[in-house]
């Protein structure tokens, strides 16, 4: 999963990132973070459809936490390149509280920061079953992340919105199935 980072380094050294390389790096690292997050959520959904005992799927299931942390690493790079675009000025920090897309992005970042900070083995052991409940916040982070992207790139509104809607629909169906909620007939 470090292949995108290596590829971006290659493009950077070759001067093939266009007229605004920092802006392109900002965009690409944010996209990679989002795709890794969605891939991680997809693994969780596929777990219910496929049994993790299948060898090819078991690898992905066991490395799911690694994908989440890697997603956060790309997200940190995305934030770094955003501040680099703004020349690391104090005004960039002030914009976080005034621009809607940055508010959603910051909330997604803080949520994923909390999830990444609690992804170490000793924290998982210490938290017990509360760890799993906390890490369900990844769905909230995915919603915040998607809204952040849709506010920036309105052309991708249908694409990202439909992906998120599909994830939420499948997740709601999974929760209903687990709780075995039966509709009441009036």
């Amino acid at each position: 999963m470090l292949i995108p980072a290596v590829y971006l380094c290659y493009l950077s050294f070759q001067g093939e990132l266009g007229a605004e390389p920092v802006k392109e790096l900002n965009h690409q690292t944010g996209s990679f973070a989002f795709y890794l997050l969605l891939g991680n959520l997809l693994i969780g959904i596929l777990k219910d459809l496929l049994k993790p005992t299948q060898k090819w799927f078991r690898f992905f299931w066991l490395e799911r936490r690694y994908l989440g942390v890697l997603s956060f690493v790309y997200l940190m790079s995305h934030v770094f390149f955003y501040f680099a675009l703004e020349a690391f000025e104090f005004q960039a920090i002030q914009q976080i509280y005034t621009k809607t897309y940055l508010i959603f992005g910051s909330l997604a970042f803080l949520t994923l920061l909390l999830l990444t900070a609690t992804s170490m083995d000793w924290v998982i052991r210490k938290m017990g079953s509360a760890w799993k409940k906390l890490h369900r916040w990844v769905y909230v982070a995915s919603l915040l992340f998607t809204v952040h992207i849709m506010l920036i790139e309105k052309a991708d509104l249908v694409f990202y919105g439909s992906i998120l809607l599909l994830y939420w629909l499948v997740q709601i169906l999974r929760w209903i199935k687990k709780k075995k909620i039966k509709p009441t007939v009036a």
Side-chain angles (χ1 to χ4, degrees), residues 32-108:
F32 290 144
F34 183 68
Y35 295 143
L36 286 171
L37 180 66
L38 290 180
N40 200 344
L41 293 174
L42 180 62
I43 292 170
I45 291 170
L46 289 175
K47 177 190 166 267
D48 287 347
L49 301 174
L50 306 169
K51 299 298 177 209
T53 55
Q54 296 176 0
K55 287 184 181 182
W56 67 271
F57 183 71
R58 186 172 166 78
F59 170 77
F60 290 110
W61 179 250
L62 293 175
E63 298 301 325
R64 188 173 180 204
R65 188 169 25 139
Y66 165 75
L67 284 176
V69 171
L70 188 60
S71 176
F72 185 73
V73 169
Y74 279 107
L75 183 58
M76 284 180 44
S77 300
H78 175 67
V79 171
F80 171 79
F81 287 122
Y82 167 74
F83 284 117
L85 275 172
E86 300 295 326
F88 297 101
E89 292 182 4
F90 184 71
Q91 178 186 2
I93 296 172
Q94 290 176 324
Q95 288 180 357
I96 292 173
Y97 305 107
T98 59
K99 294 188 176 183
T100 308
Y101 75 95
L102 290 176
I103 292 171
F104 280 97
S106 298
L107 290 173

Side-chain angles (χ1 to χ4, degrees), residues 27 31 147-158 160:
H27 178 72
S31 295
V147 172
H148 168 73
I149 292 170
M150 290 188 321
L151 288 171
I152 297 171
E153 303 176 21
K154 291 170 182 56
D156 294 336
L157 180 68
V158 174
Y160 290 114

